[in-house]
Amino acid sequence: MELTLWTYEGPPHVGALRVAASMEGVHLVLHAPQGDTYADLLFTMIERRGRRPPVTYTTFQARDLGGDTAELVKRSIAEAAERFQPEALLVGESCTAELIQDQPAALAQGMGLGDLPVVGLELPAYSKKENWGAAETFYQLVRSLLKGQMPPPGQPKPEPTRWRQEGRRPRVNLLGPTLLGFRCRDDVREISRLLAEHGIDVSVVAPLGARPADLQRLPSADLNVCLYPELAGPVCSWLERSFGMATVRTVPIGIGATAAFLRELHGLLGLELPAELEPGAGGVSEAERRSRLPWYSRSVDSTYLTGKRVFIFGDASHAIAAARVATQELGFQVVGLGSYSRELAREVRAAAAELGLEALISDDYLAVEAAMAAAAPELVLGTQMERHSAKRLGIPCAVISTPLHVQDVPARQAPQMGWEGANELFDAWVHPLMMGLEEHLIGMFRHDFEFVEGHRSHLGGAPAAEATGTNTVPAETSGVSAAAATATPAAAPASGAIDAALAWTPDGEAQLARIPFFVRGKVRRNTERYARDHGLSAISEEVLFDAKAHYSA
Amino acid sequence: MAQTLASPKPTGSPDAPALIRENGQREVFCGLTSIVWLHRRMPDAFFLVVGSRTCAHLVQSAAGVMIFAEPRFGTAILGERDLAGLADANAELDRLVGHLLERRPEIRTLFLVGSCPSEVIKLDLAKAAERLNGQLAGRVQVLSYSGSGIETTFTQGEDNALLALVPLLPAAPVAMAAGSGAAPPDQLLIVGTLADGVEDRFRSLFSRLGIPRIDSLPPRRASELPPVGPGTRVLLAQPFLSATARALVSRGAQLIPAPYPLGVEGSRAWMAAAAAAFGVAPAHVQAVLAPLVERGQRALAPHREVLAGKRLFLMPDSQLEIPLARFLARECGMELLEVGTPYLDRSLMAEELALLPPGVQLSEGQHVEHQLDRLRAARPDLVLCGLGLANPLEAEGIATKWSIELVFSPIHGIDQAGDLAELFARPLRRRALLSFA
């Protein structure tokens, strides 16, 4: 057993639901107890859909357990097939049904449902999670629909450049977008437009908006674009193995990544690379012509962003992409990088190593909060969860990844990918930070009655808690992670040393209080480390300045 | 074994409301959802669900943003080792609870909440609670109840939680009346979670009526339990407390039959029934409540204008449906097409059923597709339903009032009648307001 207050992912059958609900003409029969229909709300409320997700739940109750639950499964399957007339039927179990082992998939396959393709799902609810479930469902569905088309072994691979011989425009599949993914709706639109401008057609987008018949057309594209590796990674690998289709694996989030994505795509398709996509070709690059981020980030107003300490956590793809954008395109310093996606832990570790960090791979949110507090960042880029731990720690935060809530399924166009996605990233990540002038003036004049420290007047609302003298250390929430107990938030009050062997003198404390609040946590830590390293037990203001000189040298 | 009825078969006598009993897919919450309000009602309690990631996901989806504001609930997620019997479930539970209490010494009451997975694998949480009580004697009381979907629907989770508290209630001292005969009641126990403001208001009104002692279950602190005994009269504030009501009766308390305190009429009858049980003169009841009734009806009037004549269809959710239907029909002039409830306790609902318009169509249980077929055929003006159905029905052009809000809003009492009607009038007003032409 593990104690969990917040789970970054739902159970695997929620991933199966996401695939079914994203598609057209697919129905899922889920063997599940009464109450598991709560998952419908994820689609009707968070995604704000105007239709019920295409799911029939058996919703068995205790009184059914004494009877024939297998019969209930069969009846549910028959009713769903009859009422909804799907083009493909998925059959799976939730965690409770997994325990009673009715084998719903086998039952469905033995029911003689005519030509209806039935895909049985094995979703181990006690060892796997939502994204795995979605990837597995997508993979099983594609595999069963394409089994009959598989070329015999030894057949030469289709060339991604064959479009030229066939006298048509190149066409690609966009794989991985789903409902309840992060901004998939607008990413698909943005990337489709981007490809169209480069003379590339989109053949099939899947799962989002695809029908089973569309999945059967997958092999007719020249290659696959793996937009969301957490979801489409296994399908892309299988299409590579079985149909010889090449995969574009760069995730086009950020300026550099979008350019790299286009270069990878052009290379594989044998398309001539436009001069403005050549790195270092001089002149205006396509990125600068099409996105405002490069100029916004170079303009003098953004100078104060330089070296801002940022902590990043999310699914692997978004976290890795965010780290690159933060470091290379906004000039932040990444002080923490992590992910809950164990399947892609290796990639996250590699990205963290490049930044001289050790990746945090965890799905324990208290461990994440503790790491956040220890890194003392000035900005957090995370999930819905980090938004709240950052709030408790008094740190500005923007959301870059699922889990999301309803505010991250906005009415406006808000992609993360491509040139417009980069514009969105700039606005969303800079917005929570204190604006430059305010930062200067609060650093100079500490006695204002309104613009007290920690106050970000462009966000409205009251000043930060610390300014009013209250302690922003979060109350212990659950007692799961011992690390959280020893973590001191970045915005802790100026008094009291982290290390009991050290004591701050009154003048040392007064000087610490003069440090702007958003870097105070880091200064306190550095000063105490300096004092320990130099065998000092009392920290005066002189020690603080010594440490400051030592670490800036 | 569940039966799918191709066509609903009304049962009962001709003058009784017609009843459709259905089985099939149910679009309802499980009892775990009750944690979302119970943890606020009793801040010194912690609710530990023993279940799967699905349970954790449900509670966090339902609790929305509250999960971060120092949560007082969590899930002990079963892993493969627990299922394979490689880990001793009791030892694991002891370890987790020990860990939890070490870090949260302020917890006074710990509820172990059963779920579908824990019940299917027959994890005996009652025994575990007993054992932990032995270990933690005096420091923390450990209780267990089921909030599983296979056993409970939505608000029944509260019923089971309160049921678990009943054995811990101290015995009320028996008041010895002068002479012989039955002792007069000496305590009114209001049962069912109410909003703080509503509860305070009821207490002050019952004091004005001259009722000597008023207690609440659940209390505001799980460690401050009200006494119960032969001198206790129980007044149910919520209709979904079948098991709790029976357990209190078995402790010697007497149930006051009354409709539920929704709307002016229901609330007045509810309070008058309590007053009568304590021998308060009807004239005094009239003197105290008449001004409230008059004011309540004034507050209702503008909403009645919107609601009168409108056709209402209620999907099953919380067992509040029958009292709500009674209020909306009698006090707001709505026409009832079908009143669905997840579970119908005829004895606890007797007073309400008597007030329903004659021949109204009731349904118990659900086959959601069949019910939606009936709904679409009827084309109601307003549907009371859960959030899984609300937006899809709106997209079909059918106005909805989402039902969960009724569990999270102060709707009880004469003073809240206007607010309660407004909850139903609002979606209709909004539809009239919006124009995209």
Side-chain angles (χ1 to χ4, degrees):
Chain A
M1 289 183 205
E2 52 164 331
L3 183 56
T4 307
L5 299 175
W6 168 269
T7 168
Y8 282 101
E9 297 182 68
H13 74 257
V14 169
L17 262 163
R18 280 172 57 188
V19 171
S22 300
M23 293 184 65
E24 305 286 333
V26 173
H27 198 85
L28 168 65
V29 175
L30 197 66
H31 196 19
Q34 165 177 283
D36 279 6
T37 52
Y38 81 88
D40 287 2
L41 275 64
L42 305 169
F43 301 96
T44 59
M45 298 308 294
I46 293 177
E47 278 282 358
R48 230 183 278 258
R49 303 276 285 175
R51 357 179 249 205
R52 294 169 61 207
V55 194
T56 296
Y57 303 83
T58 56
T59 57
F60 57 87
Q61 293 172 272
R63 62 167 186 246
D64 299 322
L65 292 175
D68 191 353
T69 44
E71 204 46 50
L72 177 64
V73 174
K74 281 159 84 170
R75 202 170 48 245
S76 302
I77 291 169
E79 278 190 34
E82 170 62 29
R83 180 175 282 265
F84 299 105
Q85 301 283 319
E87 294 152 42
L89 187 71
L90 299 168
V91 182
E93 307 169 291
S94 80
C95 54
T96 305
E98 189 181 324
L99 301 171
I100 55 179
Q101 302 193 346
D102 279 325
Q103 313 290 340
L107 290 173
Q109 262 128 7
M111 281 174 65
L113 293 168
D115 305 333
L116 176 63
V118 176
V119 181
L121 301 172
E122 289 286 333
L123 304 168
Y126 297 91
S127 56
K128 300 288 195 231
K129 303 193 191 82
E130 180 180 337
N131 281 335
W132 185 92
E136 172 71 9
T137 302
F138 188 34
Y139 163 71
Q140 294 294 357
L141 184 59
V142 168
R143 203 173 136 242
S144 68
L145 289 170
L146 288 177
K147 263 193 318 235
Q149 289 186 43
M150 273 169 66
Q155 183 126 334
K157 284 186 180 182
E159 284 299 325
T161 53
R162 65 186 167 175
W163 55 275
R164 225 181 268 286
Q165 295 98 51
E166 296 178 13
R168 57 170 173 83
R169 281 161 57 109
R171 58 178 180 240
V172 303
N173 300 318
L174 302 184
L175 301 183
T178 55
L179 296 176
L180 296 176
F182 198 72
R183 309 284 175 92
C184 293
R185 178 195 73 194
D186 300 343
D187 282 349
V188 166
R189 186 176 163 188
E190 182 64 23
I191 294 303
S192 303
R193 280 209 324 228
L194 182 66
L195 297 180
E197 280 158 7
H198 285 274
I200 303 163
D201 291 335
V202 172
S203 181
V204 176
V205 177
L208 191 60
R211 309 192 81 89
D214 294 320
L215 298 186
Q216 290 176 314
R217 292 192 293 117
L218 285 173
S220 68
D222 298 315
L223 54 76
N224 293 312
V225 173
C226 185
L227 282 184
Y228 302 94
E230 281 81 359
L231 225 130
V235 161
C236 290
S237 301
W238 183 78
L239 288 167
E240 268 175 44
R241 284 197 313 273
S242 311
F243 288 84
M245 295 178 78
T247 307
V248 173
R249 292 202 183 262
T250 307
V251 176
I253 296 178
I255 294 293
T258 300
F261 165 82
L262 285 170
R263 287 197 284 270
E264 184 182 1
L265 196 59
H266 281 76
L268 282 169
L269 289 170
L271 257 180
E272 194 186 338
L273 194 69
E276 54 172 27
L277 275 176
E278 291 280 7
V284 180
S285 71
E286 181 179 341
E288 294 185 79
R289 194 169 54 77
R290 296 291 322 285
S291 178
R292 295 187 190 91
L293 181 142
W295 168 242
Y296 272 51
S297 191
R298 278 204 313 269
S299 69
V300 295
D301 186 51
S302 297
T303 310
Y304 81 106
L305 300 176
T306 311
K308 285 244 181 235
R309 300 157 53 80
V310 57
F311 179 92
I312 298 173
F313 192 84
D315 72 22
S317 308
H318 286 90
I320 292 167
R324 179 175 178 173
V325 174
T327 313
Q328 295 175 19
E329 297 168 19
L330 294 171
F332 293 151
Q333 183 197 354
V334 177
V335 295
L337 176 61
S339 174
Y340 56 83
S341 309
R342 284 185 195 281
E343 291 85 3
L344 296 167
R346 191 182 315 151
E347 288 83 343
V348 182
R349 287 202 177 93
E354 276 179 39
L355 298 167
L357 298 167
E358 189 175 338
L360 170 69
I361 307 297
S362 174
D363 60 358
D364 174 358
Y365 99 89
L366 283 175
V368 177
E369 184 180 82
M372 185 193 299
E378 295 163 73
L379 175 67
V380 171
L381 301 176
T383 71
Q384 176 68 12
M385 185 62 233
E386 281 63 53
R387 178 181 273 167
H388 293 269
S389 20
K391 182 178 170 188
R392 271 209 299 269
L393 298 172
I395 307 169
C397 176
V399 174
I400 59 160
S401 156
T402 53
L404 50 71
H405 221 290
V406 66
Q407 66 269 47
D408 281 303
V409 188
R412 69 175 193 277
Q413 282 291 316
Q416 302 285 285
M417 293 182 174
W419 308 132
E420 183 56 31
N423 295 341
E424 172 74 16
L425 296 184
F426 183 90
D427 289 347
W429 298 5
V430 172
H431 177 74
L433 295 168
M434 184 181 290
M435 305 310 280
L437 175 65
E438 183 148 81
E439 188 173 306
H440 283 295
L441 291 175
I442 280 183
M444 285 181 72
F445 309 111
R446 296 307 186 77
H447 60 276
D448 197 279
F449 58 86
E450 180 188 353
F451 295 91
V452 292
E453 66 164 350
H455 184 35
R456 302 195 292 276
S457 61
H458 69 290
L459 303 181
E466 189 193 352
T468 55
T470 52
N471 187 341
T472 55
V473 180
E476 283 308 334
T477 45
S478 73
V480 190
S481 154
T486 55
T488 305
S495 58
I498 298 167
D499 183 338
L502 293 169
W504 286 78
T505 65
D507 66 315
E509 260 189 41
Q511 189 53 50
L512 182 64
R514 288 183 199 116
I515 305 292
F517 77 100
F518 46 84
V519 287
R520 191 178 302 147
K522 184 183 116 188
V523 170
R524 172 215 294 279
R525 229 169 285 273
N526 283 350
T527 307
E528 293 187 4
R529 188 167 59 180
Y530 176 87
R532 266 195 307 275
D533 293 351
H534 291 77
L536 307 168
S537 59
I539 303 175
S540 64
E541 63 181 318
E542 297 309 321
V543 174
L544 188 145
F545 285 122
D546 287 344
K548 185 171 178 230
H550 174 82
Y551 287 109
S552 58
Chain B
M1 188 63 253
Q3 289 287 308
T4 302
L5 300 175
S7 60
K9 292 194 187 68
T11 59
S13 57
D15 54 340
L19 179 66
I20 298 170
R21 272 218 178 80
E22 275 193 310
N23 271 315
Q25 180 177 318
R26 290 166 164 248
E27 188 81 22
V28 291
F29 283 131
C30 65
L32 294 181
T33 328
S34 58
I35 293 169
V36 176
W37 65 90
L38 286 174
H39 83 277
R40 286 299 168 93
R41 174 67 191 184
M42 298 180 279
D44 59 337
F46 191 96
F47 294 81
L48 179 62
V49 178
V50 181
S52 67
R53 190 167 302 282
T54 308
C55 309
H57 195 236
L58 157 80
V59 176
Q60 115 187 356
S61 303
V65 90
M66 295 195 310
I67 194 130
F68 315 104
E70 212 198 323
R72 293 184 281 262
F73 46 82
T75 306
I77 295 186
L78 297 164
E80 286 186 313
R81 295 181 68 248
D82 303 296
L83 299 180
L86 295 173
D88 174 33
N90 287 317
E92 284 289 289
L93 209 50
D94 289 10
R95 179 178 63 82
L96 280 193
V97 169
H99 212 63
L100 178 69
L101 296 178
E102 202 177 296
R103 297 286 308 277
R104 297 286 311 280
E106 73 283 7
I107 295 171
R108 288 288 159 267
T109 304
L110 174 66
F111 287 97
L112 302 178
V113 190
S115 66
C116 302
S118 74
E119 279 163 32
V120 167
I121 64 172
K122 303 255 188 300
L123 199 55
D124 193 342
L125 293 183
K127 271 235 160 27
E130 218 172 285
R131 194 186 57 252
L132 284 162
N133 265 325
Q135 291 171 18
L136 304 163
R139 207 157 67 79
V140 182
Q141 53 186 13
V142 186
L143 298 166
S144 75
Y145 74 91
S146 167
S148 71
I150 55 177
E151 294 282 0
T152 60
T153 304
F154 195 27
T155 47
Q156 284 177 317
E158 175 171 335
D159 192 23
N160 280 354
L162 300 190
L163 178 67
L165 286 170
V166 170
L168 304 182
L169 304 186
V174 181
M176 291 310 294
S180 63
D186 49 18
Q187 175 210 13
L188 175 65
L189 184 59
I190 301 173
V191 183
T193 295
L194 290 169
D196 289 355
V198 169
E199 184 194 22
D200 293 342
R201 177 73 177 151
F202 280 147
R203 282 171 173 271
S204 90
L205 288 172
F206 282 129
S207 298
R208 263 195 247 170
L209 288 169
I211 292 176
R213 174 175 178 165
I214 303 136
D215 286 306
S216 297
L217 184 69
R220 291 191 190 184
R221 296 183 60 79
S223 47
E224 294 167 3
L225 295 169
V228 67
T232 307
R233 295 293 177 274
V234 169
L235 190 58
L236 295 182
Q238 300 279 21
F240 44 74
L241 299 169
S242 306
T244 304
R246 284 172 182 75
L248 289 168
V249 167
S250 73
R251 293 275 318 256
Q254 277 184 44
L255 209 52
I256 301 170
Y260 294 91
L262 298 178
V264 174
E265 179 192 38
S267 304
R268 191 198 183 285
W270 185 74
M271 285 195 281
F278 283 81
V280 179
H284 182 53
V285 174
Q286 180 62 11
V288 171
L289 297 183
L292 275 71
V293 168
E294 193 275 325
R295 192 176 56 202
Q297 283 164 343
R298 257 187 296 136
L300 272 178
H303 307 301
R304 189 186 164 95
E305 270 175 40
V306 177
L307 297 171
K310 296 286 191 302
R311 300 155 74 251
L312 176 71
F313 194 110
L314 301 95
M315 305 283 273
D317 188 51
S318 64
Q319 298 180 57
L320 284 163
E321 296 81 9
I322 289 172
L324 285 169
R326 180 262 304 158
F327 160 69
L328 291 162
R330 292 173 64 99
E331 297 182 55
C332 302
M334 295 190 85
E335 185 190 331
L336 304 177
L337 298 173
E338 181 174 324
V339 184
T341 180
Y343 174 71
L344 178 59
D345 182 327
R346 285 198 173 273
S347 70
L348 289 192
M349 213 47 93
E351 305 272 329
E352 288 286 352
L353 292 172
L355 291 173
L356 278 181
V360 69
Q361 179 65 71
L362 297 178
S363 66
E364 182 184 17
Q366 193 178 33
H367 182 301
V368 74
E369 303 297 349
H370 291 176
Q371 194 167 37
L372 286 170
D373 289 345
R374 293 199 297 275
L375 185 150
R376 290 183 182 114
R379 291 302 292 185
D381 297 305
L382 187 65
V383 177
L384 177 71
C385 65
L387 288 173
L389 298 169
N391 273 336
L393 287 171
E394 291 280 352
E396 291 181 33
I398 296 170
T400 61
K401 163 78 214 90
W402 52 284
S403 50
I404 298 136
E405 195 173 10
L406 298 160
V407 180
F408 293 112
S409 305
I411 59 171
H412 299 80
I414 299 175
D415 304 304
Q416 313 294 335
D419 296 351
L420 177 56
E422 200 274 337
L423 285 178
F424 288 85
R426 193 186 302 162
L428 297 174
R429 280 206 180 94
R430 182 170 181 78
R431 286 170 86 85
L433 202 64
L434 298 182
S435 149
F436 305 103

